Amino acid sequence: MLYIIGLGLGDEKDITLKGLEAIKRCTKVYMEAYTSLLSFGLSSNGLSTLEELYGKPIIVSDREMVEEKADDMLLQAQSADVAFLVVGDPFGATTHTDLVVRAKKLGVDVKVVHNASVMNAIGVCGLQLYRYGETVSLPFFTDTWRPDSFYEKIKRNRTLGLHTLCLLDIRVKEPTLESLCRGKKVYEPPRFMTIKTAIEQLLEVEQNHGEAVYNEDTSCVGLARVGCEDQLIVAGPMKQLLTVDFGPPLHCLVIVGNTHPLEEEMLEFYAIAKGSAQA
Amino acid sequence: MLYIIGLGLGDEKDITLKGLEAIKRCTKVYMEAYTSLLSFGLSSNGLSTLEELYGKPIIVSDREMVEEKADDMLLQAQSADVAFLVVGDPFGATTHTDLVVRAKKLGVDVKVVHNASVMNAIGVCGLQLYRYGETVSLPFFTDTWRPDSFYEKIKRNRTLGLHTLCLLDIRVKEPTLESLCRGKKVYEPPRFMTIKTAIEQLLEVEQNHGEAVYNEDTSCVGLARVGCEDQLIVAGPMKQLLTVDFGPPLHCLVIVGNTHPLEEEMLEFYAIAKGSAQA
């Protein structure tokens, strides 16, 4: 049996009782590392907090391992209980559908333990979840690669008056271009897109396209560390959010569509005029 | 402090460690009842399972209490730690934004403990969460009330190739019309829309509008009891899903938009031709 277990968004205590019980049953525990470095303290304390809670060692699986070596894990799961831990929900922003498909093809039973992900926890800002359109991902621009297909999607959402959740790029364990050329991988330091960078890129793309989809006065909500003890939520026009220091990652951004009065009341609590607010 | 704590989707063990610790700190524990009768066994065993786990009594709050008498709960939360338990995530399909707004106005600190909701757990069917458009709610039709504003929304989603999550009506503690006339409330038995009823209503509305937004051959996924031990997921055209007995509530339905190959692979696992599948 392969258990794919969501850890939630905040810290080690966001696991469910069901998830914890499953881990305790498993002979091997893998954890995907590439979005989980921060909240779960993997960079500083190693895995100690989690391993202490679970009472067993964790094998940290980076992106390469998950994508290339998953078959080893799946083979183990054919004859034993194996846990694969995922930050957020197993089918949240980072999907693990591919792993499930591979497991099913190998005849491995899969059990999913759900948890919160940014896709539903974003509701904390007060904008109703059913009033969101398609979610977009904003990738880091480079000198030569400035993809902007999100612009068309945001345009469609705004035409319909819907909110847009923008997921911001995460770059963990990216090999340097130089190291790839040399054939021995050396990794870039991790990078997490800030709300400031996201807005700058959004405004650049608006300037290039010029279709007046949004501008620096467009109402947005910036959210940092959703679900964590020190989460920060600030609502305001893009140009104001550019001036806010949202602190450590992860950040995400909502471009506000048409609002109901109740949604407006909630946004007022998070407005810059009143100072930044936590909830 | 008011803790608004998500219980997740399945059973009492879907609470997070953080949520459970918060409950143990609280002097009063309220629980919203109107979507939670089933999975958590409230109808049969009373509250015993939950109260045993929490080590304290639970005050079950029906919709009237939450909407009309929330101020009592909030006043208590001004001077003590009070928990309000919610099935799913506090800001999932049923939102509690209004409660947060009222708390903030009274100066009551609010802490949210997130959990899975159908809005992210729906990812289990293999359709990518960021490829969903606006979520729609399908209300029970009556002889005189057959609202169909969802049709326009589904049309927009399908035009864009997006998936549509249809949340199906829940009627719990609805006063009978007769009792309202007499001035003393008597309640209807609870009703939960099935996937079959949902599809019948969808096809009726299509027939009335005739805009070819979908038809009985449109690919859908029916999901019953998402996140529970006995969840059932079946993919197929509407006309096939009409013939499936999905069992007890809660049900929901996804109208499939354009699919990627990986999404198609997952849907095949759940296809009727192969027999109904669980995950």
Side-chain angles (χ1 to χ4, degrees), chain A residues 96-232:
Chain A
H96 295 84
T97 308
D98 183 56
L99 188 63
V100 174
V101 167
R102 287 158 79 166
K104 284 181 186 271
K105 282 182 180 166
L106 287 168
V108 173
D109 285 329
V110 176
K111 202 153 213 153
V112 172
V113 182
H114 289 288
N115 209 317
S117 72
V118 70
M119 302 291 279
N120 68 344
I122 193 74
V124 73
C125 77
L127 300 170
Q128 305 297 294
L129 288 181
Y130 59 86
R131 293 286 301 155
Y132 281 77
E134 190 174 358
T135 299
V136 303
S137 294
L138 305 192
F140 274 118
F141 283 175
T142 69
D143 289 344
T144 54
W145 194 68
R146 305 174 95 75
D148 57 10
S149 60
F150 55 79
Y151 185 76
E152 206 50 41
K153 294 175 184 173
I154 297 170
K155 180 181 168 184
R156 292 194 296 241
N157 287 345
R158 290 185 63 75
T159 305
L160 300 173
L162 300 173
H163 314 308
T164 306
L165 171 60
C166 304
L167 301 174
L168 310 188
D169 203 357
I170 295 171
R171 295 288 167 110
V172 180
K173 218 168 177 193
E174 298 280 328
T176 62
L177 189 59
E178 194 193 3
S179 78
L180 279 177
C181 299
R182 287 188 190 169
K184 194 183 169 203
K185 284 186 185 169
V186 176
Y187 296 99
E188 304 271 10
R191 291 170 70 207
F192 302 89
M193 188 184 287
T194 61
I195 289 163
K196 182 167 187 287
T197 300
I199 292 175
E200 285 168 353
Q201 290 193 181
L202 282 167
L203 291 174
E204 177 189 316
V205 171
E206 172 60 54
Q207 196 155 35
N208 293 343
H209 286 256
E211 298 181 44
V213 170
Y214 51 79
N215 59 47
E216 62 173 20
D217 293 316
T218 298
S219 175
C220 288
V221 186
L223 300 98
R225 302 172 302 286
V226 173
C228 302
E229 287 296 315
D230 64 340
Q231 84 179 359
L232 179 65

Side-chain angles (χ1 to χ4, degrees), chain B residues 27-265:
Chain B
T27 48
K28 291 233 179 189
V29 180
Y30 294 86
M31 177 170 182
E32 57 124 42
Y34 47 101
T35 59
S36 57
L37 289 166
L38 298 140
S39 339
F40 293 87
L42 296 193
S43 50
S44 47
N45 330 338
L47 297 159
S48 56
T49 316
L50 289 180
E51 293 187 325
E52 204 172 297
L53 179 65
Y54 303 158
K56 55 184 69 181
I58 298 171
I59 305 157
V60 175
S61 317
D62 58 33
R63 188 188 292 258
E64 286 164 22
M65 185 275 174
V66 175
E67 289 176 5
E68 293 167 18
K69 296 175 196 162
D71 287 342
D72 293 348
M73 181 170 77
L74 294 173
L75 284 176
Q76 290 162 357
Q78 281 183 322
S79 56
D81 285 340
V82 172
F84 182 64
L85 311 184
V86 174
V87 172
D89 184 71
F91 300 99
T94 303
T95 65
H96 294 85
T97 308
D98 182 55
L99 188 63
V100 174
V101 167
R102 287 159 78 167
K104 285 181 185 272
K105 282 182 179 166
L106 288 168
V108 174
D109 285 329
V110 176
K111 202 153 213 153
V112 173
V113 181
H114 289 288
N115 209 318
S117 72
V118 69
M119 302 292 280
N120 68 343
I122 193 73
V124 74
C125 76
L127 299 171
Q128 305 297 294
L129 289 181
Y130 60 85
R131 291 286 302 154
Y132 281 77
E134 190 174 356
T135 299
V136 303
S137 294
L138 304 192
F140 273 118
F141 283 175
T142 69
D143 290 344
T144 54
W145 195 68
R146 305 175 95 73
D148 58 8
S149 60
F150 54 79
Y151 185 76
E152 204 51 42
K153 293 175 184 174
I154 296 170
K155 181 180 167 186
R156 291 194 298 241
N157 287 346
R158 290 185 65 74
T159 306
L160 301 173
L162 301 174
H163 314 310
T164 305
L165 170 60
C166 305
L167 301 175
L168 309 189
D169 204 357
I170 295 171
R171 294 287 168 110
V172 179
K173 219 172 176 190
E174 299 279 329
T176 63
L177 190 58
E178 193 193 2
S179 77
L180 279 177
C181 300
R182 288 189 190 165
K184 190 178 174 210
K185 284 185 186 170
V186 175
Y187 297 100
E188 304 271 9
R191 291 171 71 207
F192 303 90
M193 189 184 288
T194 61
I195 289 162
K196 183 167 186 290
T197 300
I199 292 176
E200 285 167 354
Q201 291 194 181
L202 282 166
L203 291 174
E204 177 189 317
V205 171
E206 172 60 54
Q207 197 155 35
N208 293 343
H209 286 257
E211 299 182 43
V213 170
Y214 51 80
N215 60 45
E216 61 175 20
D217 293 315
T218 298
S219 175
C220 288
V221 186
L223 300 99
R225 303 173 299 287
V226 172
C228 301
E229 286 297 315
D230 65 340
Q231 84 179 1
L232 179 64
I233 303 174
V234 184
M238 284 191 187
K239 67 181 173 202
Q240 281 194 338
L241 297 189
L242 277 175
T243 69
V244 176
D245 177 5
F246 281 92
L250 300 175
H251 293 185
C252 64
L253 180 73
V254 179
I255 304 173
V256 180
N258 298 343
T259 48
H260 296 292
L262 185 62
E263 293 179 313
E264 280 158 32
E265 276 194 290

